[in-house]
């Protein structure tokens, strides 16, 4: 039986929208979630504006089983994600006692001052559960089905690993990618016919242009049943050869 568990990612930060910083968390989270049967179905990028964060989080948490946010939980004035999440849930925010204790001890152990700016990293909505951070100590947190992570990739990955045991598992989606030098327009009719015969699968075509492979298309088949994926792949092999081409690469996940 297929069990659909869904998720969305809300990326928070002006630096992402401006192009100054390139997000490296989408691919990691998409792969990490799929490994445990959770499908990442939507990604939004919002600025460091409270109302924008509130609106996005409330819309996403009502639609998906889980929402993950990245960014905006650091020590500076524009790190407003914790207060915004509190507003989204209609609750107050505070300096989380356990987070405050951990952070104070961490800085004391290094002979560093626990400044007001650093204390900001302990802010959570009232009622939040902490998510551990083994990289730089400052925790993320969870409110209901919303997980709030740092934007720094290494720290985000640490928080995801800490949160993973609490996530509900669903059906894992497998994929198989078949590459050919034939043009996408040549392949379209055959691929559409295969899709009609395998409606439960997701078939996509993705052109590539690079110096190693030249030009061509990757035909990707995704679904829960490996047997059906392989059957669809066999039909793709057949029509590619009938069109005078060949499959130059075949990768399964």
């Amino acid at each position: 039986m297929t069990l659909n568990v869904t998720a969305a990612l809300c990326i928070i930060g002006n630096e992402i929208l401006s192009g100054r910083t390139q997000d490296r968390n989408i691919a990691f989270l998409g792969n990490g979630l799929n490994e445990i049967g959770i499908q990442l179905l939507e990604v939004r990028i919002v600025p460091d504006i409270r109302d924008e964060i509130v609106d996005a989080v409330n819309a996403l948490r009502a639609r998906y089983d889980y929402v993950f946010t990245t960014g905006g939980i650091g020590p500076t004035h524009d790190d407003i994600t914790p207060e915004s999440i509190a507003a989204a849930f209609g609750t107050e925010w505070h300096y989380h006692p356990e987070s405050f204790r951990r952070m104070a001890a961490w800085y004391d152990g290094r002979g560093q001052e626990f400044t007001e700016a650093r204390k900001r990293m302990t802010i959570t909505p009232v009622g939040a559960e902490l998510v551990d951070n083994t990289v730089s100590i400052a925790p993320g947190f969870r409110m209901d089905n919303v997980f709030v992570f740092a934007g720094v990739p290494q720290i985000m990955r640490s928080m995801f690993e800490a949160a993973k045991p609490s996530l509900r598992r669903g059906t894992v989606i497998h994929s198989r990618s078949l590459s050919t030098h034939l043009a996408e327009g040549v392949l379209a009719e055959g691929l559409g016919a295969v899709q009609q015969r395998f409606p439960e699968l997701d078939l996509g075509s993705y052109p590539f242009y690079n110096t190693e492979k030249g030009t061509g298309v990757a035909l990707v088949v995704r679904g829960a049943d490996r047997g059906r994926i392989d059957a669809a792949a066999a039909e793709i092999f057949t029509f590619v050869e009938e069109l005078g081409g060949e499959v130059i690469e075949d990768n399964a996940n």
Side-chain angles (χ1 to χ4, degrees):
M1 182 180 71
T2 301
L3 176 60
N4 292 321
V5 183
T6 62
L9 170 61
C10 183
I11 302 168
I12 300 167
N14 294 337
E15 71 279 8
I16 301 293
L17 290 166
S18 71
R20 180 187 178 279
T21 301
Q22 294 184 349
D23 181 84
R24 290 192 288 149
N25 293 323
I26 298 173
F28 173 84
L29 193 62
N31 287 327
L33 289 171
N34 187 61
E35 288 175 356
I36 57 174
I38 301 175
Q39 304 310 306
L40 182 63
L41 297 182
E42 184 172 349
V43 177
R44 294 193 190 187
I45 306 175
V46 298
D48 297 307
I49 298 174
R50 191 182 100 152
D51 289 347
E52 297 287 343
I53 298 170
V54 169
D55 289 347
V57 168
N58 278 338
L60 294 171
R61 71 188 179 98
R63 185 174 181 180
Y64 300 104
D65 295 304
Y66 295 112
V67 177
F68 300 87
T69 77
T70 59
I73 61 172
T76 60
H77 70 282
D78 57 345
D79 288 314
I80 60 170
T81 298
E83 296 96 325
S84 301
I85 299 297
F89 279 87
T91 189
E92 300 294 323
W93 59 266
H94 67 161
Y95 295 96
H96 192 287
E98 175 58 19
S99 180
F100 198 95
R101 184 195 66 77
R102 293 183 195 179
M103 294 279 288
W106 196 82
Y107 283 108
D108 183 64
R110 285 157 181 75
Q112 300 176 4
E113 183 182 358
F114 190 29
T115 63
E116 290 301 317
R118 287 166 172 166
K119 290 175 184 176
R120 283 189 50 78
M121 291 188 285
T122 73
I123 292 175
T124 71
V126 174
E129 303 174 24
L130 298 183
V131 176
D132 290 341
N133 163 16
T134 60
V135 175
S136 61
I137 200 65
F141 63 87
R142 173 184 186 174
M143 283 290 286
D144 192 27
N145 65 335
V146 178
F147 288 81
V148 178
F149 295 160
V152 177
Q154 186 179 9
I155 300 174
M156 188 281 292
R157 294 173 186 184
S158 170
M159 292 177 175
F160 176 69
E161 291 302 321
K164 191 188 295 186
S166 68
L167 300 175
R168 181 162 57 96
R169 268 57 170 170
T171 300
V172 175
I173 300 300
H174 307 287
S175 69
R176 188 166 171 185
S177 176
L178 310 171
S179 297
T180 176
H181 286 307
L182 293 176
E184 192 173 30
V186 175
L187 297 162
E189 184 177 351
L191 188 65
V194 177
Q195 179 69 87
Q196 287 185 345
R197 287 191 288 275
F198 296 86
E200 78 280 13
L201 302 179
D202 177 24
L203 276 66
S205 61
Y206 307 96
F208 58 80
Y209 308 87
N210 59 55
T211 55
E212 290 185 7
K213 298 180 184 178
T215 64
V217 180
L219 303 176
V220 179
V221 186
R222 301 180 74 249
D225 188 327
R226 285 191 183 274
R228 294 288 285 171
I229 290 174
D230 291 341
E235 292 199 13
I236 291 174
F237 265 95
T238 298
F239 83 71
V240 166
E241 290 177 351
E242 289 174 350
L243 291 169
E246 64 175 332
V247 172
I248 59 172
E249 204 169 63
D250 181 1
N251 296 313
N253 293 313

